[in-house]
Amino acid sequence: MTLGSAGSSVVVPRNFRLLEELERGEKGIGDGTVSYGMDDGDDIYMRSWTGTIIGPHNTVHEGRIYQLKLFCDKDYPEKPPSVRFHSRINMTCVNHETGVVSVEPKKFGLLANWQREYSMEDILTQLKKEMAAPHNRKLVQPPEGTYF
């Protein structure tokens, strides 16, 4: 996020940006089917996060609760966080062995084409949309309650 006018801009420091995201994530987003927060409130670097997505209606994911781990390295938000499903899921953009969300443009473009303005909220919301995409909405899923 940059602030400024008349051609000048100020880059918001990483920790301010993450504090802003923490506040948004804890309030719940939109219809409440996507949320996120810090794993460890004592982590002053705000690196480790947990996200939750409730599967979209009219898909094999409907009503399922998926947990994800997001890790914001020191380069965040210049570079995307690493994103990994903790809950087992079968999606074309998720590694079936590790749960890691792909950074390949054809699999999950948001991470591949990362921009500083994007947020963890954007990632989780886009993953929920990806669950409802024609190539993912009917894929056979692992048993509920299993983890990577």
Side-chain angles (χ1 to χ4, degrees):
M1 173 181 280
T2 57
L3 304 172
S5 60
S8 68
S9 65
V10 175
V11 176
V12 175
R14 178 184 180 279
N15 281 7
F16 289 171
R17 163 73 180 268
L18 287 168
L19 284 169
E20 190 177 288
E21 288 198 50
L22 177 62
E23 187 176 330
R24 268 190 71 76
E26 288 181 338
K27 285 181 182 173
I29 304 155
D31 61 4
T33 58
V34 173
S35 64
Y36 59 96
M38 285 182 55
D39 273 348
D40 178 3
D42 293 332
D43 177 8
I44 60 169
Y45 298 107
M46 303 176 80
R47 293 173 294 206
S48 189
W49 297 69
T50 297
T52 303
I53 301 172
I54 298 174
H57 296 296
N58 302 317
T59 69
V60 294
H61 307 285
E62 184 170 357
R64 285 186 171 216
I65 299 172
Y66 295 100
Q67 291 184 333
L68 300 89
K69 298 293 181 185
L70 299 97
F71 186 81
C72 298
D73 212 346
K74 64 182 181 336
D75 296 330
Y76 182 84
E78 298 300 330
K79 294 186 178 170
S82 60
V83 183
R84 181 179 63 83
F85 274 84
H86 179 58
S87 306
R88 282 204 169 273
I89 189 169
N90 185 13
M91 285 175 64
T92 56
C93 64
V94 177
N95 181 298
H96 299 291
E97 301 293 320
T98 62
V100 172
V101 176
S102 178
V103 295
E104 292 178 40
K106 291 181 179 177
K107 292 190 176 183
F108 192 65
L110 188 80
L111 292 180
N113 303 307
W114 184 259
Q115 296 179 24
R116 188 178 210 289
E117 297 77 36
Y118 294 164
S119 66
M120 287 182 275
E121 174 182 340
D122 295 325
I123 294 169
L124 295 171
T125 302
Q126 189 61 41
L127 282 168
K128 182 180 172 196
K129 287 180 185 172
E130 194 67 22
M131 288 176 186
H135 51 275
N136 286 315
R137 67 183 302 123
K138 294 184 179 178
L139 289 178
V140 175
Q141 295 300 311
E144 206 166 346
T146 57
Y147 301 95
F148 285 105

